[in-house]
Amino acid sequence: MAKFKLNVERTLNAFTSGTYKVHEALYEFLDNSEAAGAGDVYIIAEKGSDQPLERIIIADNGKGMTREELLSAMEFAGEIRKRSIHEVSEFGVGLKAAAFSLSNSFSVITRSEDGTICGSFIDRQRINKSQQYDGPFDKGTDARAEYLWGLYSRTPSESGTIIILDDLCQTEYKNCQTFIGREDRSGIRHSSRIATRYCDKIQMGRMKIHTVCGTGGSPKVINANDPLSRLEESSDIVLNKATQLWKKADATFDFSVVRLGDSSSANDFGVYVKVNGIYVNKDRDSLFGMFKEGSSHSWHWHLRAEINFKNKEEFNKIFDFTSHKHDIKVRDPVSFGDWLRDSAMGKIFVAEQDRRKYIAREQKKVKSIKDFKLANDRFIEILNTRKDIFGASTALQSYFGKFKSIAPGNFANQSEMSVYDDGVIYYNDSNYHISSLINSDVCAKNHQARTLAAVNAVVKHTEKVTSSKISFEDNITLVANLLQEAV
């Protein structure tokens, strides 16, 4: 019978090369810290702020590990313990694969709850050559572990774990400052990364994540970033923790949907998945099967939603983690997508296009009304400030500066076009010639309607008051002059 062989070096490279972005690798360490009940985690970059990034340290005050637990933790795909359904940890490869994706050598120093300090010291070349490393039971490792514990632990008298990454091979960040980032705009402090993934833990005070830039740098806490922006003043919480049951998988979870204001960015758009308060994924393409891949979501950009599982047991009824746990896949994508589209959350997304189209139409109406009123005011302003508009007719010039407004009026006779009364030009909206122009979406036609109404009203009023006719030439001059004015 043939024996299955495993090339350690090539397998390790396959599991680590290009499989993690830096912040994704950090998630593996932080997930372990959270599972260990750490209240404080420090991510430290060495050397100085503008110096090359030479070492990364992750130190927490969780419950730590015994020698036996640390030995198990170093086993690739090992089972250090029976994992809680509330953990997102999955395959037993995360710590090792993440560490080797960032560095060629790393150390794990831990202080158990009984006060024992021990460590493991792993070098890629040695692993590749002999599959050996200096572990927690090896002679001389305790002194080395105690020294590093005293150097990097923020709570040396308490339990916890420290991961030290040396001989870095990551190429994403050149120096400590770009690695840490500035406020919430770049680096690992970028609002879409650690601040989002552990938002709930940070908000509830269960976990403080600090960054330290450079040796001797001051710790700075990472503030929570809710990807649904529930606390924003312009946010409308449409659905809040609505409990759902997908009977096909017998899975229970919560839905939340928030509609942001029009000034919001499309960058955080999508449907997020959360397991026990940790955001593990976001889909901004098909929205987990509700739409075809590559669909346009311009109508949905103001929506944010989440599917929240209380534990991994419920999550695993619908989703699987991929091998490196920074992506997920739906077990039954067609059925779940169809059900999701018909769910309370899905109906909001489906209806959003019609809702926003309606709003756009209403806003256009409001804008049109406003623009129409401004054009009316501008028309009256021309009649009151441009005496030359009236031409050489003394009778017509007598109206200069006397106009108050132009508005629709009440007319018994549909054929009547307009009248002038005490400075107001009233037009007949039921008159075919006026109506076809004044109700058009074309501004130039609106202006033609005002011109016809004004000239007709003024000429009729003049002839009635003076009992004399306005000449055809004077009439045409007033029409032509008004039509030439841009409103």
Side-chain angles (χ1 to χ4, degrees):
M1 182 179 292
K3 184 179 180 181
F4 184 80
K5 294 184 178 180
L6 195 68
N7 183 298
V8 173
E9 180 177 1
R10 292 172 67 84
T11 302
L12 193 58
N13 286 339
F15 262 88
T16 61
S17 299
T19 54
Y20 289 95
K21 294 180 180 178
V22 170
H23 64 275
E24 291 171 341
L26 291 176
Y27 292 164
E28 297 288 354
F29 309 133
L30 293 169
D31 285 351
N32 290 340
S33 294
E34 191 276 333
D40 287 283
V41 185
Y42 292 82
I43 303 171
I44 306 164
E46 292 188 346
K47 290 182 175 181
S49 61
D50 59 350
Q51 297 297 312
L53 179 61
E54 294 186 354
R55 174 179 276 189
I56 299 171
I57 302 102
I58 300 94
D60 71 39
N61 64 346
K63 67 177 183 178
M65 291 177 277
T66 64
R67 294 182 193 277
E68 291 78 10
E69 287 172 335
L70 177 57
L71 191 66
S72 296
M74 292 301 100
E75 181 183 344
F76 206 78
E79 186 65 44
I80 180 175
R81 64 188 182 286
K82 181 174 176 56
R83 299 183 189 277
S84 164
I85 61 173
H86 297 290
E87 293 183 47
V88 295
S89 298
E90 183 80 355
F91 302 108
V93 303
L95 188 156
K96 288 76 66 177
F100 274 135
S101 74
L102 302 183
S103 64
N104 288 311
S105 65
F106 68 95
S107 308
V108 181
I109 315 300
T110 187
R111 187 182 195 273
S112 63
E113 291 178 304
D114 66 7
T116 301
I117 298 174
C118 61
S120 290
F121 305 90
I122 298 94
D123 179 81
R124 184 193 290 268
Q125 285 188 335
R126 187 177 175 191
I127 289 287
N128 290 344
K129 185 177 180 180
S130 64
Q131 291 84 63
Q132 293 180 340
Y133 66 94
D134 294 328
F137 290 98
D138 293 333
K139 185 178 180 181
T141 58
D142 282 1
R144 188 176 174 188
E146 288 172 6
Y147 169 75
L148 291 171
W149 180 262
L151 188 63
Y152 288 114
S153 175
R154 296 278 165 163
T155 54
S157 62
E158 299 178 12
S159 61
T161 300
I162 301 171
I163 298 169
I164 303 169
L165 307 175
D166 285 304
D167 189 14
L168 300 181
C169 56
Q170 67 82 33
T171 58
E172 202 170 334
Y173 302 106
K174 292 183 178 180
N175 58 46
C176 296
Q177 183 61 70
T178 56
F179 167 70
I180 295 296
R182 297 184 182 278
E183 300 307 322
D184 60 353
R185 296 186 295 273
S186 62
I188 63 172
R189 293 186 65 93
H190 193 285
S191 61
S192 66
R193 295 172 180 169
I194 292 170
T196 293
R197 184 175 176 90
Y198 303 99
C199 171
D200 282 17
K201 305 296 181 181
I202 296 171
Q203 284 183 332
M204 291 186 291
R206 294 183 180 177
M207 194 176 186
K208 284 186 180 180
I209 304 172
H210 314 255
T211 59
V212 180
C213 185
T215 307
S218 300
K220 292 184 178 180
V221 174
I222 293 179
N223 296 315
N225 176 63
D226 177 9
L228 269 62
S229 301
R230 275 164 276 225
L231 297 180
E232 292 290 329
E233 190 174 334
S234 62
S235 295
D236 176 21
I237 300 176
V238 185
L239 203 61
N240 188 33
K241 296 182 180 179
T243 302
Q244 308 291 312
L245 171 65
W246 186 31
K247 291 183 179 179
K248 182 173 183 179
D250 191 30
T252 303
F253 42 88
D254 292 339
F255 280 158
S256 292
V257 181
V258 175
R259 183 181 292 112
L260 277 64
D262 288 344
S263 61
S264 61
S265 166
N267 292 338
D268 291 333
F269 162 75
V271 176
Y272 291 75
V273 173
K274 186 165 65 175
V275 181
N276 186 33
I278 295 177
Y279 286 98
V280 296
N281 197 254
K282 174 181 74 172
D283 186 352
R284 55 178 294 154
D285 185 8
S286 73
L287 306 185
F288 296 111
M290 284 199 292
F291 300 93
K292 291 182 179 179
E293 291 185 1
S295 298
S296 171
H297 289 295
S298 58
W299 296 106
H300 306 134
W301 277 345
H302 296 85
L303 293 177
R304 308 287 186 274
E306 72 179 25
I307 306 172
N308 178 30
F309 295 91
K310 291 182 178 179
N311 55 58
K312 195 168 63 180
E313 187 174 77
E314 294 299 315
F315 166 83
N316 281 336
K317 292 177 181 178
I318 298 177
F319 294 97
D320 282 322
F321 281 113
T322 61
S323 59
H324 289 89
K325 204 164 62 66
H326 45 256
D327 200 0
I328 63 176
K329 60 182 180 181
V330 184
R331 290 174 180 262
D332 187 351
V334 175
S335 295
F336 184 64
D338 289 344
W339 178 86
L340 199 60
R341 194 181 310 110
D342 293 332
S343 70
M345 184 181 80
K347 288 176 181 177
I348 293 170
F349 275 85
V350 171
E352 185 69 4
Q353 180 168 341
D354 289 338
R355 192 190 76 85
R356 294 200 68 82
K357 280 184 176 179
Y358 171 78
I359 290 174
R361 286 195 300 268
E362 293 303 304
Q363 288 175 338
K364 185 177 180 181
K365 287 180 184 177
V366 171
K367 185 176 184 299
S368 296
I369 292 169
K370 183 178 179 181
D371 290 344
F372 185 81
K373 184 179 183 304
L374 289 173
N376 281 353
D377 293 343
R378 172 60 180 149
F379 186 80
I380 295 300
E381 182 185 357
I382 291 171
L383 292 172
N384 287 332
T385 59
R386 292 282 306 279
K387 193 173 183 178
D388 58 303
I389 287 289
F390 298 92
S393 170
T394 303
L396 292 179
Q397 288 179 6
S398 67
Y399 291 90
F400 173 68
K402 295 181 180 179
F403 295 94
K404 297 176 182 177
S405 63
I406 180 169
N410 296 317
F411 293 81
N413 188 346
Q414 188 174 338
S415 64
E416 193 172 3
M417 188 177 292
S418 59
V419 296
Y420 175 87
D421 183 18
D422 193 23
V424 180
I425 300 167
Y426 293 101
Y427 59 84
N428 186 358
D429 203 12
S430 297
N431 180 277
Y432 170 77
H433 301 289
I434 293 294
S435 178
S436 62
L437 296 172
I438 205 74
N439 294 315
S440 170
D441 290 334
V442 181
C443 294
K445 290 185 176 181
N446 298 161
H447 184 56
Q448 291 171 14
R450 294 185 194 98
T451 298
L452 290 176
V455 174
N456 177 74
V458 168
V459 169
K460 281 201 322 180
H461 186 264
T462 301
E463 292 178 344
K464 180 180 179 181
V465 171
T466 63
S467 299
S468 61
K469 290 282 187 182
I470 299 294
S471 69
F472 178 76
E473 290 78 5
D474 289 340
N475 195 319
I476 290 299
T477 298
L478 180 55
V479 171
N481 288 341
L482 280 173
L483 288 177
Q484 286 179 359
E485 291 298 316
V487 175

